[in-house]
Amino acid sequence: LLAVSKTKPVDMLMDVYHAGARDFGENKVQELTAKYEALPKDIHWHMIGHLQTNKVKYIIDKAELIHSVDSLKLAETIEKEAAKHDLIADILVESKFGMKMEEVIPFVEKVSAFPHVRVRGLMTIAPFVEDPEENRSIFADLHKLYIDIKKKNHDNDTVSVLSMGMTNDYEVAIEEGATMVRVGTGIFGARNYVV
């Protein structure tokens, strides 16, 4: 369970932390880095929003998992920054907006050759729908792709994460094989957008 804490204040995150959560997801680099500094060090931070190449250097040693890798350029930047820090960056390949299903396996194969990047799995953001059943086929298709990638990646079992499902549809996502769900509103309540 990934607690999506974007836009939420540190004291609210601490309440959720004290309730037992250790995995938090942020959408913006600036928010992740600020909360990383302010909160306990046993938190596992996830970068779940769109990541610009020029911002990778700020989170490379803070985010335990980068969820939204959707281009070779971004993967190459992550490789370069991870090499500078002498670490291995764990990533999820984003399928749907950034990348079509048939592009995913060749992309994973290319990125798997990078010495400082480890593909841990896939993520998707399904459309927001009133009836979660409408997303079942999207989740089922991604699960099939995830299994195909796991089979091709038989040398190691680093591919173990299928991140799909949010507050309104996580139950369907779990039924279709999600290993990680991203829940924000269900934990923190509705977001406060500053106008």
Side-chain angles (χ1 to χ4, degrees), residues 165-188:
M166 297 191 276
T167 297
N168 66 316
D169 58 9
Y170 72 88
E171 287 148 319
V172 172
I174 291 168
E175 288 168 7
E176 293 302 332
T179 65
M180 183 179 287
V181 293
R182 303 176 307 274
V183 178
T185 306
I187 294 172
F188 294 98

mmCIF file of all heavy atoms in Angstrom, residues 165-188:
data_model
loop_
_atom_site.group_PDB
_atom_site.id
_atom_site.type_symbol
_atom_site.label_atom_id
_atom_site.label_comp_id
_atom_site.label_asym_id
_atom_site.label_seq_id
_atom_site.Cartn_x
_atom_site.Cartn_y
_atom_site.Cartn_z
ATOM 1 N N GLY A 165 -3.978 0.810 -9.815
ATOM 2 C CA GLY A 165 -5.115 0.967 -8.921
ATOM 3 C C GLY A 165 -4.898 2.113 -7.957
ATOM 4 O O GLY A 165 -3.808 2.291 -7.423
ATOM 5 N N MET A 166 -5.958 2.903 -7.805
ATOM 6 C CA MET A 166 -5.929 4.038 -6.885
ATOM 7 C C MET A 166 -7.168 3.963 -5.999
ATOM 8 O O MET A 166 -7.870 2.952 -6.000
ATOM 9 C CB MET A 166 -5.828 5.336 -7.675
ATOM 10 C CG MET A 166 -4.517 5.394 -8.467
ATOM 11 S SD MET A 166 -4.129 7.006 -9.187
ATOM 12 C CE MET A 166 -5.074 6.941 -10.694
ATOM 13 N N THR A 167 -7.451 5.022 -5.264
ATOM 14 C CA THR A 167 -8.526 4.992 -4.273
ATOM 15 C C THR A 167 -9.828 4.422 -4.829
ATOM 16 O O THR A 167 -10.462 3.600 -4.193
ATOM 17 C CB THR A 167 -8.767 6.411 -3.709
ATOM 18 O OG1 THR A 167 -7.575 6.831 -3.022
ATOM 19 C CG2 THR A 167 -9.929 6.438 -2.735
ATOM 20 N N ASN A 168 -10.216 4.834 -6.036
ATOM 21 C CA ASN A 168 -11.539 4.449 -6.539
ATOM 22 C C ASN A 168 -11.573 3.065 -7.187
ATOM 23 O O ASN A 168 -12.644 2.501 -7.377
ATOM 24 C CB ASN A 168 -12.069 5.494 -7.522
ATOM 25 C CG ASN A 168 -11.221 5.559 -8.785
ATOM 26 O OD1 ASN A 168 -9.998 5.552 -8.711
ATOM 27 N ND2 ASN A 168 -11.857 5.618 -9.929
ATOM 28 N N ASP A 169 -10.395 2.479 -7.537
ATOM 29 C CA ASP A 169 -10.450 1.212 -8.270
ATOM 30 C C ASP A 169 -9.413 0.184 -7.795
ATOM 31 O O ASP A 169 -9.175 -0.812 -8.467
ATOM 32 C CB ASP A 169 -10.304 1.456 -9.780
ATOM 33 C CG ASP A 169 -9.014 2.164 -10.157
ATOM 34 O OD1 ASP A 169 -8.133 2.332 -9.289
ATOM 35 O OD2 ASP A 169 -8.890 2.550 -11.338
ATOM 36 N N TYR A 170 -8.808 0.415 -6.633
ATOM 37 C CA TYR A 170 -7.729 -0.482 -6.201
ATOM 38 C C TYR A 170 -8.199 -1.913 -5.967
ATOM 39 O O TYR A 170 -7.432 -2.858 -6.153
ATOM 40 C CB TYR A 170 -6.988 0.054 -4.971
ATOM 41 C CG TYR A 170 -7.760 -0.008 -3.668
ATOM 42 C CD1 TYR A 170 -7.717 -1.144 -2.877
ATOM 43 C CD2 TYR A 170 -8.524 1.073 -3.249
ATOM 44 C CE1 TYR A 170 -8.419 -1.208 -1.689
ATOM 45 C CE2 TYR A 170 -9.238 1.014 -2.067
ATOM 46 C CZ TYR A 170 -9.185 -0.129 -1.294
ATOM 47 O OH TYR A 170 -9.889 -0.195 -0.128
ATOM 48 N N GLU A 171 -9.464 -2.094 -5.556
ATOM 49 C CA GLU A 171 -9.944 -3.460 -5.292
ATOM 50 C C GLU A 171 -9.949 -4.283 -6.579
ATOM 51 O O GLU A 171 -9.516 -5.439 -6.596
ATOM 52 C CB GLU A 171 -11.339 -3.435 -4.646
ATOM 53 C CG GLU A 171 -11.272 -2.965 -3.201
ATOM 54 C CD GLU A 171 -12.510 -2.215 -2.760
ATOM 55 O OE1 GLU A 171 -13.024 -1.390 -3.561
ATOM 56 O OE2 GLU A 171 -12.946 -2.425 -1.628
ATOM 57 N N VAL A 172 -10.412 -3.678 -7.674
ATOM 58 C CA VAL A 172 -10.416 -4.356 -8.975
ATOM 59 C C VAL A 172 -8.975 -4.608 -9.416
ATOM 60 O O VAL A 172 -8.646 -5.681 -9.928
ATOM 61 C CB VAL A 172 -11.197 -3.530 -10.024
ATOM 62 C CG1 VAL A 172 -11.041 -4.117 -11.426
ATOM 63 C CG2 VAL A 172 -12.673 -3.451 -9.651
ATOM 64 N N ALA A 173 -8.100 -3.623 -9.197
ATOM 65 C CA ALA A 173 -6.687 -3.778 -9.576
ATOM 66 C C ALA A 173 -6.054 -4.960 -8.837
ATOM 67 O O ALA A 173 -5.332 -5.760 -9.432
ATOM 68 C CB ALA A 173 -5.918 -2.490 -9.286
ATOM 69 N N ILE A 174 -6.351 -5.099 -7.545
ATOM 70 C CA ILE A 174 -5.811 -6.216 -6.757
ATOM 71 C C ILE A 174 -6.345 -7.544 -7.299
ATOM 72 O O ILE A 174 -5.598 -8.506 -7.465
ATOM 73 C CB ILE A 174 -6.130 -6.043 -5.254
ATOM 74 C CG1 ILE A 174 -5.336 -4.867 -4.679
ATOM 75 C CG2 ILE A 174 -5.839 -7.335 -4.490
ATOM 76 C CD1 ILE A 174 -5.777 -4.427 -3.303
ATOM 77 N N GLU A 175 -7.629 -7.574 -7.617
ATOM 78 C CA GLU A 175 -8.220 -8.800 -8.182
ATOM 79 C C GLU A 175 -7.529 -9.188 -9.486
ATOM 80 O O GLU A 175 -7.441 -10.366 -9.825
ATOM 81 C CB GLU A 175 -9.722 -8.611 -8.421
ATOM 82 C CG GLU A 175 -10.541 -8.586 -7.143
ATOM 83 C CD GLU A 175 -11.973 -8.110 -7.363
ATOM 84 O OE1 GLU A 175 -12.390 -7.915 -8.520
ATOM 85 O OE2 GLU A 175 -12.689 -7.945 -6.353
ATOM 86 N N GLU A 176 -7.025 -8.194 -10.213
ATOM 87 C CA GLU A 176 -6.374 -8.451 -11.508
ATOM 88 C C GLU A 176 -4.854 -8.565 -11.391
ATOM 89 O O GLU A 176 -4.162 -8.575 -12.397
ATOM 90 C CB GLU A 176 -6.766 -7.366 -12.523
ATOM 91 C CG GLU A 176 -8.228 -7.394 -12.913
ATOM 92 C CD GLU A 176 -8.692 -8.724 -13.519
ATOM 93 O OE1 GLU A 176 -7.855 -9.431 -14.130
ATOM 94 O OE2 GLU A 176 -9.880 -9.060 -13.380
ATOM 95 N N GLY A 177 -4.321 -8.607 -10.168
ATOM 96 C CA GLY A 177 -2.917 -8.924 -10.004
ATOM 97 C C GLY A 177 -2.001 -7.806 -9.532
ATOM 98 O O GLY A 177 -0.781 -7.988 -9.500
ATOM 99 N N ALA A 178 -2.540 -6.649 -9.160
ATOM 100 C CA ALA A 178 -1.679 -5.570 -8.659
ATOM 101 C C ALA A 178 -0.914 -6.032 -7.427
ATOM 102 O O ALA A 178 -1.467 -6.710 -6.560
ATOM 103 C CB ALA A 178 -2.516 -4.336 -8.304
ATOM 104 N N THR A 179 0.370 -5.664 -7.367
ATOM 105 C CA THR A 179 1.151 -5.941 -6.153
ATOM 106 C C THR A 179 1.335 -4.664 -5.334
ATOM 107 O O THR A 179 1.791 -4.709 -4.206
ATOM 108 C CB THR A 179 2.544 -6.510 -6.485
ATOM 109 O OG1 THR A 179 3.293 -5.509 -7.179
ATOM 110 C CG2 THR A 179 2.432 -7.774 -7.330
ATOM 111 N N MET A 180 0.994 -3.522 -5.949
ATOM 112 C CA MET A 180 1.099 -2.235 -5.258
ATOM 113 C C MET A 180 -0.071 -1.355 -5.709
ATOM 114 O O MET A 180 -0.362 -1.281 -6.903
ATOM 115 C CB MET A 180 2.421 -1.547 -5.608
ATOM 116 C CG MET A 180 2.654 -0.236 -4.887
ATOM 117 S SD MET A 180 4.253 0.509 -5.348
ATOM 118 C CE MET A 180 5.386 -0.579 -4.492
ATOM 119 N N VAL A 181 -0.737 -0.740 -4.752
ATOM 120 C CA VAL A 181 -1.802 0.212 -5.072
ATOM 121 C C VAL A 181 -1.429 1.564 -4.497
ATOM 122 O O VAL A 181 -0.780 1.648 -3.452
ATOM 123 C CB VAL A 181 -3.190 -0.248 -4.558
ATOM 124 C CG1 VAL A 181 -3.663 -1.492 -5.311
ATOM 125 C CG2 VAL A 181 -3.184 -0.514 -3.063
ATOM 126 N N ARG A 182 -1.823 2.619 -5.212
ATOM 127 C CA ARG A 182 -1.479 3.988 -4.815
ATOM 128 C C ARG A 182 -2.745 4.675 -4.297
ATOM 129 O O ARG A 182 -3.625 5.015 -5.078
ATOM 130 C CB ARG A 182 -0.901 4.734 -6.022
ATOM 131 C CG ARG A 182 0.311 4.049 -6.629
ATOM 132 C CD ARG A 182 0.825 4.750 -7.880
ATOM 133 N NE ARG A 182 -0.175 4.984 -8.902
ATOM 134 C CZ ARG A 182 -0.520 4.105 -9.849
ATOM 135 N NH1 ARG A 182 0.041 2.915 -9.900
ATOM 136 N NH2 ARG A 182 -1.437 4.415 -10.740
ATOM 137 N N VAL A 183 -2.826 4.839 -2.987
ATOM 138 C CA VAL A 183 -4.044 5.380 -2.386
ATOM 139 C C VAL A 183 -3.741 6.711 -1.693
ATOM 140 O O VAL A 183 -2.915 6.762 -0.787
ATOM 141 C CB VAL A 183 -4.658 4.367 -1.388
ATOM 142 C CG1 VAL A 183 -5.904 4.951 -0.728
ATOM 143 C CG2 VAL A 183 -5.000 3.057 -2.106
ATOM 144 N N GLY A 184 -4.385 7.757 -2.159
ATOM 145 C CA GLY A 184 -4.215 9.076 -1.564
ATOM 146 C C GLY A 184 -5.475 9.516 -0.853
ATOM 147 O O GLY A 184 -5.533 9.602 0.375
ATOM 148 N N THR A 185 -6.521 9.770 -1.630
ATOM 149 C CA THR A 185 -7.786 10.267 -1.085
ATOM 150 C C THR A 185 -8.341 9.323 -0.021
ATOM 151 O O THR A 185 -8.844 9.766 1.006
ATOM 152 C CB THR A 185 -8.811 10.449 -2.228
ATOM 153 O OG1 THR A 185 -8.221 11.292 -3.224
ATOM 154 C CG2 THR A 185 -10.080 11.105 -1.732
ATOM 155 N N GLY A 186 -8.217 8.016 -0.252
ATOM 156 C CA GLY A 186 -8.738 7.032 0.704
ATOM 157 C C GLY A 186 -8.038 7.072 2.051
ATOM 158 O O GLY A 186 -8.596 6.652 3.058
ATOM 159 N N ILE A 187 -6.815 7.591 2.085
ATOM 160 C CA ILE A 187 -6.051 7.694 3.340
ATOM 161 C C ILE A 187 -6.090 9.108 3.906
ATOM 162 O O ILE A 187 -6.351 9.319 5.081
ATOM 163 C CB ILE A 187 -4.582 7.270 3.119
ATOM 164 C CG1 ILE A 187 -4.516 5.776 2.769
ATOM 165 C CG2 ILE A 187 -3.711 7.570 4.351
ATOM 166 C CD1 ILE A 187 -3.140 5.284 2.344
ATOM 167 N N PHE A 188 -5.829 10.078 3.037
ATOM 168 C CA PHE A 188 -5.655 11.463 3.499
ATOM 169 C C PHE A 188 -6.883 12.348 3.317
ATOM 170 O O PHE A 188 -6.914 13.462 3.796
ATOM 171 C CB PHE A 188 -4.486 12.128 2.740
ATOM 172 C CG PHE A 188 -3.146 11.530 3.041
ATOM 173 C CD1 PHE A 188 -2.580 10.602 2.199
ATOM 174 C CD2 PHE A 188 -2.449 11.904 4.179
ATOM 175 C CE1 PHE A 188 -1.322 10.057 2.474
ATOM 176 C CE2 PHE A 188 -1.208 11.371 4.465
ATOM 177 C CZ PHE A 188 -0.642 10.440 3.618
#
